[in-house]
Amino acid sequence: MRFISTRGGMAPAGFTDVLLSGLAPDGGLAVPESIPPVSRAQLEQWRSMTYSELAAEVIGLYATDIPAEDLSALTAAAYGPEHFPDPVVPVHRLDEVAGGLELVGLSEGPTMAFKDLAMQFLGQAIPYVLNRNGQVLNILGATSGDTGSAAEHAFRGQKGVAVFMLSPQGRMSDVQRAQMYSLDEPNIHNIAVDGVFDDCQNLVKALNNDASFKATHAIGAVNSINIGRIAAQIVYYVWAWLRSTDALEEELRSDYEVDVAVPSGNFGNIYAGHLARSMGVPIRRLILATNENNVLEEFFSTGVYRPRGRAETLATSSPSMDISKASNLERFIWQLLGPEEFTQRWPELEAEGALDLADHLDRLNTEFGFVSGSSSHADRLAAIGRVHSAADRLIDPHTADGVTVALRFMEPDFPTLVMETAKAAKFGETVTEALGRAQPDPPEITKLLALPQHVDTIANDEAPLRALIEANALHA
């Protein structure tokens, strides 16, 4: 398996090469030259595997330059009991809420968010590659909430790796901030930016586009533009389909399709679902759910992609999705248009501030299976209350966006899986508002919130960020 750039200016490279590089040298994103197919027979062979065993098989389709024995060791370490309970990803039926509704539990990891499932793999794979090559890596990333803490907990104390994580000042929950800012390992550097998430992302891209600075300071990325993270996320779509069909007779499984609802801001998680579907996992529709920052919903409903600026990006009660420029969408549009048409049309986005692909609108649903909807604060409160009342289960506001839109699109008793985003305890204020009474914080949250915090605050400007990296970066 080799990877190329969406912009066409990168020589084909292996998985371990693009794992460390973040953006391609031409400013594009790494995509697989071809999507590996998975047959129904192969899915059945995987049914009895543990999560770490399945991860080695699925990721191995992309990471063909990592020996199978080594990859198995990496996934065993990533998804072992010191990081995740058993099962790593539980699947809960919510028939009391709606017949056929299921919740895929992606928040069992150390930071109580779905990002742990990919990041714990990167926390093993990247040091493995660095050690093999005699290299160091300075990870530069941006987070709207959960990516930063998941990355920092995966790489804290790791030799040869430093993390510089940008976050929007004042736009994360108390728990999200505490999970990041309370870390005091010398290789972890938290940087709060006076701006929104997209400002943080733009700073990351600006430094990545400076080839000299990037090379001098060995800068890489582990946010959702990292293809290694995407590969690791495909695993739980396969796992969820297998667990959803476990109770079926074998002869019924071959025709069993599911819909999957995914809360989405930066399009990374649902892009992994799109790859799983493209590989052959029996997913009928991908139900994309946004909050009030509905740039993605607008694209999949109208065919027009129009990123928004800071002034138009709302601060909502599902803050990890307060994103108005979905970085991973480039990968999907590249596939939608094909390399030649993509090269012709992508510059329209930079020149005009929008990309009108309404001429491809029908294909988004018929060929690629996407439908989309948005959710409001009132919708989130109602969904949290409904799930708690009917099923005695707490969900966080981002998962509530997913439930809201899933209920809008699902057909009676047709299996619809909602991808959980985080534990409700990370967003206690919204959950309290939804239920009309405060929920007691788990002891680990109380302890976390009491820890001292460490963060550098900078203006939305490249200069102070460059200075911080120059002063603290690792060098081989």
Side-chain angles (χ1 to χ4, degrees), residues 16-39:
T16 56
D17 295 318
V18 295
L19 184 69
L20 302 181
S21 63
L23 283 174
D26 60 1
L29 300 182
V31 290
E33 277 191 313
S34 61
I35 297 175
V38 173
S39 67

Side-chain angles (χ1 to χ4, degrees), residues 174 223 249 386:
D174 291 344
N223 58 7
E249 297 292 333
R386 177 172 177 175

Side-chain angles (χ1 to χ4, degrees), residues 10 20 28 47 101 111 126 162 166 199 210 212 225 235 249 263 270 341 355 361 381 386 393 399 409-410 452:
M10 181 182 81
L20 302 181
R47 185 174 295 278
L101 190 68
T111 70
I126 285 179
L166 280 61
D199 296 320
D210 184 338
S212 175
I225 63 173
V235 178
E249 297 292 333
I270 200 167
E341 187 178 356
L355 184 59
L361 181 59
L381 299 183
R386 177 172 177 175
R393 183 171 293 278
T399 306
F409 281 101
M410 72 181 296

Side-chain angles (χ1 to χ4, degrees), residues 73 91 139 158 168 203 232 312 338 363 371 382 390-391 395 406 428 433 444 474:
V91 178
I139 293 168
Q158 293 272 25
L203 288 172
E312 295 180 276
R363 296 177 59 212
V371 294
I395 59 173
E433 183 180 357
E444 60 269 25
L474 301 178

